């Protein structure tokens, strides 16, 4: 993209800010805070533990792994067939509305409406996965 100076510095700054916000493609997500995410995770811990399968599959290492990849957890066919890989974007979309994102999932959770809550809980999942006292590597 080319700029000519006739637009003036202010416009250039504004444009470069927009480009930074859009950098990497996709919607700029709010930055997650793992400490706040820990409090959000209370809602998940009804069914999930980081390092143990309960009602839901364990979460250690979930950010970066393919969906339905815990061998000893019985996933729904929908989750097995989803072809998803969990990353910040797919987790954000799934946690917005699990039932619509993975139609037929057996995760009985309505979703988190607030994008910041989703970013926080994803940051927490990453932090926990990197903590060898919770998730032995
Ligand atoms: C009512 C129980 C319940 C709650 C509450 C719940 N989950 Fe789940 N979750 C499940 C079940 C069951 C599955 C397996 C879904 C399937 O096989 O379709 C699952 C699957 C997942 C997966 C996919 C894991 C994988 O290995 O592919 C993620 C990620 C996940 N949950 C995150 C969360 C987060 C984050 C929260 C809280 C914001 C949450 N869940 C709340 C029951 C729950």
């Amino acid at each position: 993209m080319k700029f000519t100076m006739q637009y003036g510095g202010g416009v250039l700054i504004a444009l470069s800010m927009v480009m930074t916000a859009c950098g990497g493609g996709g919607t700029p997500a709010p930055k997650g805070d793992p400490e706040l995410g820990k409090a959000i995770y209370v809602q998940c811990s009804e069914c999930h533990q980081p390092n143990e399968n309960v009602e839901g599959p364990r979460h250690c290492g979930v950010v970066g792994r393919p969906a339905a990849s815990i061998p000893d957890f019985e996933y729904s066919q929908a989750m097995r067939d989803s072809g998803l890989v969990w990353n910040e974007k797919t987790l954000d979309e799934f946690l917005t509305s699990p039932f619509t994102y993975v139609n037929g999932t057996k995760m009985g959770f309505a979703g988190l409406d607030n994008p910041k809550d989703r970013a926080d809980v994803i940051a927490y999942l990453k932090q926990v996965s990197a903590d060898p006292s919770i998730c032995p590597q």
Side-chain angles (χ1 to χ4, degrees):
M1 195 181 286
K2 275 196 189 136
F3 299 113
T4 49
M5 285 316 287
Q6 78 200 48
Y7 293 112
V11 176
L12 281 182
I13 289 165
L15 273 174
S16 66
M17 278 166 62
V18 169
M19 286 166 66
T20 310
C22 299
T27 333
K31 202 170 156 29
D33 177 336
E35 287 309 313
L36 296 175
K38 190 175 181 172
I40 309 286
Y41 195 75
V42 171
Q43 296 179 55
C44 321
S45 58
E46 190 187 314
C47 303
H48 290 280
Q49 290 296 317
N51 199 23
E52 199 187 346
N53 296 337
V54 257
E55 177 83 24
R58 61 182 180 271
H59 273 157
C60 282
V62 69
V63 187
R65 80 177 182 219
S69 56
I70 298 292
D72 53 352
F73 184 83
E74 227 175 277
Y75 291 95
S76 64
Q77 197 58 43
M79 189 61 82
R80 291 181 203 273
D81 292 345
S82 69
L84 291 166
V85 174
W86 297 126
N87 56 36
E88 285 174 10
K89 184 168 180 284
T90 52
L91 282 169
D92 179 69
E93 288 172 358
F94 176 59
L95 294 174
T96 303
S97 177
F99 297 118
T100 41
Y101 193 58
V102 180
N103 186 359
T105 181
K106 63 176 187 176
M107 170 152 139
F109 181 74
L112 296 169
D113 288 339
N114 186 334
K116 180 69 166 73
D117 288 352
R118 298 194 298 271
D120 289 345
V121 85
I122 294 165
Y124 176 70
L125 289 172
K126 282 166 83 174
Q127 188 192 61
V128 155
S129 299
D131 182 343
S133 72
I134 303 174
C135 292
Q137 307 295 306

